[in-house]
Amino acid sequence: MIKSEPKSILQFIASHYDLLRDLFDLQVKNNIITKEALSICLENYDKNIHAQLTEYQILVELNDDFAFNEPYLILFEFIHQQFKPLLPEEIEHFGEAIKTIFLKIKEGINEDKNILLERIEALSSQIKKFTNAVVNNTKSLLAESKELKANNKKIDYQEKIQKARHLIENYISPLNTILDVNHSQSIYNELLNISQFTNVKRFDYIDESTRREFEKLYHLLRQVVKDLNLQSIILTNELLPLIDRIKTESEYLRGFLHYLTNGRCYKEIQPPKIFVPTRDNIYNRFVYENTKEYFEQFKYEDEIIVVEDSQQTSDWIFDKSKYKESLNKNLPVEDFFKWCESSIKQESENFSLDNFFMVTSLLFEDDYEISVNRDDKKISVTNENSELLMPKLIIKRQEDVSR
């Protein structure tokens, strides 16, 4: 049991953050902090805080060595977004727990209410742990793949290929199977089944408090399914193509990754000019890799499928000369808009307003004289979707007016 106040512990972490960050890096690298490494780190920072590190349970003893206590390790992993990838078996452990609790809920749905509520809460907790494990794994695998692609450690080609194959076979492909929506036994599909079950129970369960818990679980599952779907997209669209491209090596990518991950480097050194075109000599020793990488980036473009609309539509074309000839034969017209309506209906009963207004454009012909009928009555023009109220217009030929 820790006797100190939480505020004191947080102040201690903030005051000795750089030292703790070095210890965290040692743990990530070696999975343990040896007694000698801890002594050297304390000497380098000239700090005598060994007692506080154990009193606050930041470090725990492992035989003669030390390691971060799990809550602090998770805190530092989260702060630095530096997660150690879990084996798929470890992630499936959460999936098995989810399946077991869900089965218990279904079997005891009408038994003890308190046990049911506790099981719903436990199921929510396991689903959150499972989702966090998948998200963290995707992040760490993506970071490892980029690091391997950049080859900052300058490992030889064979070792690089072996590491890429190791990531695919032991981490990426199994994780992809866990999230495979087309695999009936995947945990992703199990979550969909739970979501359907809770969606029903949140409405028709007898007890109101239990309905509320099912409601909360249902909304959690909706968000989880979205998050997992996003991780699946990252796996298939980014991670697997990136791993495949590791066969090439880019000096530029290595330089940029080193630049971006080197602490305050980006604040102190002028960044390289990315978009300034340069000429690469054909006898450059990297020209083969760079050219290959340039063309390979186009191999993984999303396939675009154009589906033509099978429904045929007949376009109506306004035959102005035909309508003008018809109008001329009927002049004088006492109600122009009604004439337009009846004329266009002879071609199509289901005319649009666009068609109607095309016919009314005959008003602007120079051959005609327009006047308003003074009986103040409006006429109605209708089609399937709308109705227009229009004035009565009299249209005559110009020469008839002048007589």
Side-chain angles (χ1 to χ4, degrees):
M1 182 177 177
I2 303 176
K3 296 179 181 177
S4 303
E5 292 290 327
K7 193 173 180 180
S8 302
I9 299 174
L10 291 175
Q11 285 176 339
F12 175 82
I13 292 174
S15 302
H16 302 89
Y17 171 76
D18 291 336
L19 188 153
L20 292 172
R21 172 62 198 264
D22 285 355
L23 292 176
F24 172 72
D25 289 340
L26 284 172
Q27 167 123 9
V28 171
K29 184 179 179 181
N30 304 319
N31 289 325
I32 201 168
I33 303 167
T34 62
K35 187 177 180 180
E36 294 75 18
L38 176 60
S39 299
I40 292 171
C41 195
L42 293 175
E43 286 178 9
N44 289 341
Y45 282 91
D46 194 20
K47 299 287 185 182
N48 184 18
I49 55 172
H50 192 293
Q52 289 97 321
L53 288 172
T54 51
E55 178 190 341
Y56 298 153
Q57 297 183 21
I58 296 174
L59 297 183
V60 292
E61 291 190 33
L62 291 175
N63 298 321
D64 291 333
D65 298 320
F66 296 89
F68 266 79
N69 204 357
E70 187 176 357
Y72 294 102
L73 184 65
I74 294 172
L75 173 65
F76 272 78
E77 283 180 338
F78 180 76
I79 291 173
H80 297 286
Q81 294 290 289
Q82 190 172 340
F83 307 99
K84 181 182 178 183
L86 297 175
L87 285 166
E89 295 84 1
E90 296 177 271
I91 297 177
E92 283 185 343
H93 170 75
F94 297 115
E96 291 300 322
I98 290 170
K99 290 178 183 176
T100 304
I101 299 173
F102 179 51
L103 184 62
K104 292 283 185 184
I105 288 175
K106 287 202 294 187
E107 290 176 348
I109 193 71
N110 294 320
E111 297 176 3
D112 189 284
K113 172 188 165 184
N114 292 329
I115 290 293
L116 178 60
L117 292 176
E118 289 174 3
R119 283 173 178 164
I120 294 173
E121 185 179 348
L123 182 59
S124 299
S125 174
Q126 289 299 323
I127 289 172
K128 290 174 186 173
K129 288 179 182 176
F130 170 74
T131 310
N132 287 336
V134 171
V135 172
N136 293 343
N137 249 38
T138 309
K139 285 180 181 175
S140 60
L141 289 173
L142 202 54
E144 281 201 19
S145 302
K146 288 179 178 175
E147 181 79 21
L148 192 58
K149 169 68 179 169
N151 198 10
N152 263 349
K153 297 177 182 175
K154 299 182 180 178
I155 59 178
D156 63 41
Y157 183 76
Q158 289 299 327
E159 186 180 357
K160 189 177 169 185
I161 296 299
Q162 286 176 358
K163 283 181 177 292
R165 188 176 294 125
H166 173 77
L167 286 177
I168 290 175
E169 293 178 355
N170 297 293
Y171 288 93
I172 299 173
S173 294
L175 184 59
N176 204 27
T177 303
I178 290 173
L179 300 179
D180 188 359
V181 69
N182 297 316
H183 194 297
S184 61
Q185 299 300 317
S186 69
I187 303 174
Y188 181 89
N189 273 310
E190 182 69 19
L191 293 176
L192 289 180
N193 293 334
I194 299 173
S195 179
Q196 291 172 357
F197 178 81
T198 53
N199 190 26
V200 174
K201 293 300 175 188
R202 70 189 178 120
F203 291 117
D204 73 351
Y205 199 77
I206 304 167
D207 178 65
E208 184 181 350
S209 60
T210 310
R211 284 204 307 271
R212 280 201 301 270
E213 291 305 310
F214 275 122
E215 174 87 14
K216 287 161 59 180
L217 179 59
Y218 172 71
H219 286 292
L220 170 66
L221 282 162
R222 285 187 63 190
Q223 184 60 47
V224 163
V225 168
K226 286 181 187 176
D227 292 343
L228 294 182
N229 193 38
L230 176 62
Q231 301 309 310
S232 178
I233 291 172
I234 293 173
L235 278 172
T236 52
N237 291 359
E238 291 186 44
L239 205 46
L240 287 172
L242 178 63
I243 285 286
D244 195 50
R245 288 177 59 198
I246 279 174
K247 295 172 185 175
T248 64
E249 182 168 324
S250 170
E251 290 291 304
Y252 302 120
L253 182 59
R254 181 192 305 172
F256 275 116
L257 190 66
H258 177 71
Y259 177 78
L260 294 172
T261 57
N262 191 20
R264 294 177 54 82
C265 181
Y266 70 96
K267 294 182 179 177
E268 298 169 354
I269 300 176
Q270 188 69 22
K273 295 178 179 177
I274 304 175
F275 300 110
V276 176
T278 57
R279 179 174 294 177
D280 204 3
N281 293 322
I282 196 68
Y283 46 81
N284 185 316
R285 62 193 179 102
F286 299 114
V287 71
Y288 171 75
E289 288 81 3
N290 293 340
T291 305
K292 191 175 179 184
E293 183 181 24
Y294 175 78
F295 283 103
E296 281 188 347
Q297 67 179 310
F298 303 110
K299 289 173 60 177
Y300 302 103
E301 290 182 340
D302 292 336
E303 186 179 2
I304 299 175
I305 300 174
V306 178
V307 180
E308 294 185 358
D309 190 358
S310 58
Q311 186 176 1
Q312 297 293 325
T313 58
S314 57
D315 295 329
W316 184 80
I317 300 174
F318 175 45
D319 188 344
K320 183 177 177 180
S321 58
K322 173 186 167 186
Y323 276 84
K324 187 172 181 180
E325 183 180 354
S326 173
L327 178 62
N328 289 337
K329 288 180 180 177
N330 291 282
L331 289 177
V333 172
E334 296 297 322
D335 190 340
F336 174 70
F337 291 122
K338 186 55 77 177
W339 174 86
C340 291
E341 181 190 18
S342 59
S343 298
I344 198 170
K345 276 186 175 179
Q346 291 176 12
E347 282 197 66
S348 171
E349 283 289 330
N350 300 321
F351 67 91
S352 70
L353 290 182
D354 286 342
N355 302 152
F356 176 76
F357 285 120
M358 286 182 191
V359 178
T360 60
S361 65
L362 291 172
L363 279 174
F364 304 103
E365 293 292 308
D366 294 334
D367 303 343
Y368 307 124
E369 175 69 24
I370 312 297
S371 60
V372 179
N373 191 319
R374 299 188 181 282
D375 63 5
D376 291 333
K377 292 183 179 177
K378 302 286 185 184
I379 65 151
S380 170
V381 178
T382 59
N383 64 4
E384 288 183 341
N385 303 315
S386 55
E387 178 183 11
L388 296 175
L389 294 178
M390 312 288 286
K392 276 187 178 179
L393 296 183
I394 302 170
I395 181 167
K396 299 178 180 177
R397 204 187 301 273
Q398 281 283 7
E399 53 264 31
D400 294 337
V401 176
S402 57
R403 287 175 186 171

